[in-house]
Amino acid sequence: MTELHWSVSWETDLDDADHAPLTALLARAYPGEAHRLVGERSWTGARPELRVVARDGGAPVAHAGIIRRFLRADPQHGPGRDVLVGHVGLVAVDPDQHRGGVGRALMAQVVDTLVGLDVPFGFLTCGPDVEGFYRAVGWTRLADVAVRMVDIDDRVVTDHDPAMVHPAGRPLTDWPAARLLAQDGRGI
């Protein structure tokens, strides 16, 4: 891995010139979703509050967005409990940088940012094909969890892809009620 320059920027500190290269990175990382990145807009749903970005020679090669929000945890077993999370999304590593440790370094920066925000947990959803990566960098899958949300087209949808949490400097056992999966896939 080459020497990367890391930054954490508030969304309000970015201008149009900052968004264009981020949009290009996200389009390379998610070619099937590139049509959702309209113009210079470097997000596809909720606009992030913070951006964690790695640059190599000025060009972004890794990116993650974070927005603080409340989730209802485990509503199937009663009213649930609202929990503040740093919702992580738009996680992207330039395809030319895959398998070089950039993704691992990105997620370490994300966790440091979550700790700095003093949120109890990081939260993300991911495809089953990358769940192992997130487990390897310290995230834990919530067992039997479907995430209900409003999608980009204003429809309520249920996402059955893996939902992952990170304790962001706190005990993982503080996550309310929902069953967690250990590294070996068994409940904890």
Side-chain angles (χ1 to χ4, degrees):
M1 178 169 56
T2 61
E3 181 78 23
L4 299 177
H5 172 73
W6 291 93
S7 65
V8 177
S9 303
W10 290 98
E11 187 69 16
T12 54
D13 292 338
L14 301 177
D15 59 26
D16 289 344
D18 296 316
H19 284 284
L22 295 176
T23 301
L25 168 62
L26 292 166
R28 284 191 310 278
Y30 297 103
E33 295 295 315
H35 66 283
R36 294 198 182 273
L37 298 162
V38 179
E40 303 303 313
R41 196 173 81 167
S42 60
W43 66 90
T44 57
R47 182 184 292 202
E49 184 178 2
L50 286 169
R51 307 283 186 128
V52 179
V53 178
R55 290 181 174 78
D56 183 7
V61 296
H63 172 277
I66 301 171
I67 186 169
R68 289 174 285 193
R69 62 177 55 181
F70 283 93
L71 299 179
R72 283 184 303 149
D74 203 30
Q76 299 101 329
H77 299 102
R81 185 179 122 207
D82 293 338
V83 59
L84 176 65
V85 299
H87 191 167
V88 178
L90 299 172
V91 178
V93 173
D94 189 296
D96 292 340
Q97 299 283 333
H98 284 188
R99 306 256 184 246
V102 176
R104 183 174 288 277
L106 172 63
M107 294 314 293
Q109 293 286 328
V110 164
V111 169
D112 287 349
T113 302
L114 293 168
V115 170
L117 286 172
D118 198 28
V119 293
F121 296 96
F123 175 85
L124 61 81
T125 59
C126 64
D129 56 323
V130 293
E131 177 185 353
F133 164 76
Y134 288 109
R135 283 180 183 269
V137 295
W139 292 72
T140 301
R141 182 175 180 176
L142 295 169
D144 306 319
V145 170
V147 177
R148 287 178 41 90
M149 66 188 123
V150 177
D151 73 3
I152 193 168
D153 298 317
D154 294 325
R155 296 178 307 222
V156 175
V157 297
T158 302
D159 183 358
H160 294 279
D161 281 342
M164 313 285 288
V165 294
H166 193 287
R170 290 175 171 78
L172 186 57
T173 54
D174 285 354
W175 181 265
R179 207 166 54 94
L180 302 171
L181 287 182
Q183 294 295 74
D184 63 6
R186 290 187 291 220
I188 58 174

